[in-house]
Amino acid sequence: MNLQRSTLSAGMHQIDAQLAVTPAQRQTGLMFRKEMPQGEGMLFIFEEPVQQCFWMKNTLLPLTAAFVADDGTIVNLADMKPQTTDSHCSKKPVRYVLEMNVGWFAKKGIKAGSRLRGQVFQASK
């Protein structure tokens, strides 16, 4: 899939985020991909904030999901194992979920309460 991209920042760290905006893009997500460069991720954008739950049934990469509030604040993070059907859910309603390679957030010291910045978060206001 050739998805639209947006640059996000987490402190001094840049993220090249593919945007999954339509229901079909969100449903496919990162399934079946064998690799994803460091510093790249996928931002799932939903119409309105609700509790979001993700699983990894056909996803081959270990990922960390950041559940993100409208203002870019990370609500919670969840490490997800490839090819599992375990549900990983936001602790409160969110509109955004950013998936990155597992360990990326931890290596950068980014955790719940950290703030992501980018044009996409301004558009939701």
Side-chain angles (χ1 to χ4, degrees), residues 3-113:
L3 299 175
Q4 182 182 349
R5 292 177 178 262
S6 183
T7 300
L8 307 177
S9 62
M12 63 184 205
H13 307 288
Q14 296 288 302
I15 300 164
D16 179 15
Q18 299 172 65
L19 304 180
V21 180
T22 68
Q25 292 169 343
R26 292 189 301 251
Q27 186 175 354
T28 303
L30 292 168
M31 290 194 308
F32 307 112
R33 295 197 194 185
K34 293 187 169 92
E35 60 186 18
M36 183 168 62
Q38 289 298 319
E40 194 171 296
M42 182 172 283
L43 183 67
F44 296 79
I45 303 173
F46 296 89
E47 288 77 24
E48 57 188 72
V50 297
Q51 184 184 42
Q52 303 294 346
C53 292
F54 277 54
W55 62 335
M56 300 279 286
K57 185 174 182 186
N58 294 310
T59 307
L60 308 175
L61 303 168
L63 299 171
T64 301
F67 297 96
V68 184
D70 280 2
D71 68 354
T73 301
I74 297 174
V75 172
N76 62 295
L77 296 162
D79 288 340
M80 305 184 296
K81 289 184 172 50
Q83 303 187 56
T84 59
T85 56
D86 302 337
S87 269
H88 304 277
C89 301
S90 59
K91 290 186 176 174
K92 69 179 198 180
V94 297
R95 185 188 318 256
Y96 304 102
V97 181
L98 175 63
E99 289 182 340
M100 300 289 290
N101 287 307
V102 76
W104 187 89
F105 293 102
K107 285 179 197 152
K108 310 289 187 208
I110 300 164
K111 49 192 176 274

